[in-house]
Amino acid sequence: MADYEVIAQETLTSTAASIDITSIPATYAHLELVISARSTKAAATTSGGEITLNGLTSSIYQSAALYSINSSTPAVYSYNVDARTQVDNPFRIMNDSMPANTYAAAKIVIPNYANTSVVRKGLLVQSSAASDQTSTWWHSVGGAHVTLSAAINQITLFAESATYPFKAGTSYYLAGWS
């Protein structure tokens, strides 16, 4: 069995528009990021977060997801086949008018993140946000890729907007394994 080690972890003690995980060592074969997120947005819905890698905001990202949202649209396929400046909506964020102390959960796996001969790095994403309200939920599985041959040494997670930052209590951990 491969060694699995937590590289970074944090629980926010105040609001933050973004979470920046830096100095990721290139000593593992794969990365796994798990986030539990809530925002300050006063809405009984979920919102999408964004991701950039290595601080790059050029048009090098693409993504696709299969998701179900609320009872009105049981299955929808969403994709961003054009080049984007970030991975759009790969994980959900629970908004603040949802039941107290509920957080959306997501897991993002990045295989071969340190391999410099891999020129298109892939991300596998699972995300879920649900409350006790039967009309407000989100479940998805998707993927993204970035045209990048350099090893990934930084992951930045963004809330929906700086106006609606991540709420205190949002937490994450980043792990690596060989």
Side-chain angles (χ1 to χ4, degrees):
M1 182 167 203
D3 291 331
Y4 185 89
E5 183 177 351
V6 174
I7 300 167
Q9 62 183 348
E10 179 181 18
T11 299
L12 299 181
T13 57
S14 61
T15 61
S18 64
I19 296 170
D20 202 23
I21 306 167
T22 60
S23 303
I24 299 170
T27 55
Y28 305 95
H30 315 292
L31 293 176
E32 178 177 278
L33 174 66
V34 176
I35 182 168
S36 176
R38 188 173 176 96
S39 81
T40 63
K41 185 175 184 177
T45 60
T46 65
S47 296
E50 278 78 35
I51 297 174
T52 61
L53 302 173
N54 290 4
L56 299 172
T57 57
S58 53
S59 298
I60 58 173
Y61 303 92
Q62 292 180 314
S63 61
L66 176 63
Y67 64 89
S68 58
I69 181 170
N70 305 331
S71 58
S72 62
T73 47
V76 178
Y77 183 71
S78 172
Y79 60 94
N80 297 309
V81 294
D82 55 332
R84 299 289 178 129
T85 57
Q86 74 275 327
V87 180
D88 286 324
N89 299 312
F91 64 94
R92 297 311 282 181
I93 302 168
M94 194 73 76
N95 290 325
D96 210 30
S97 291
M98 299 292 270
N101 300 315
T102 57
Y103 290 78
K107 177 169 74 170
I108 302 161
V109 177
I110 309 173
N112 301 308
Y113 80 100
N115 187 332
T116 57
S117 64
V118 175
V119 297
R120 291 175 72 86
K121 306 247 188 312
L123 288 76
L124 305 171
V125 183
Q126 296 173 312
S127 186
S128 180
S131 73
D132 58 0
Q133 302 170 11
T134 59
S135 63
T136 308
W137 48 268
W138 168 284
H139 303 290
S140 67
V141 61
H145 64 265
V146 56
T147 305
L148 176 65
S149 59
I152 295 170
N153 58 22
Q154 177 183 351
I155 299 172
T156 305
L157 307 169
F158 295 94
E160 176 188 18
S161 72
T163 306
Y164 308 116
F166 292 114
K167 189 172 181 170
T170 293
S171 63
Y172 72 87
Y173 74 83
L174 177 69
W177 76 94
S178 299

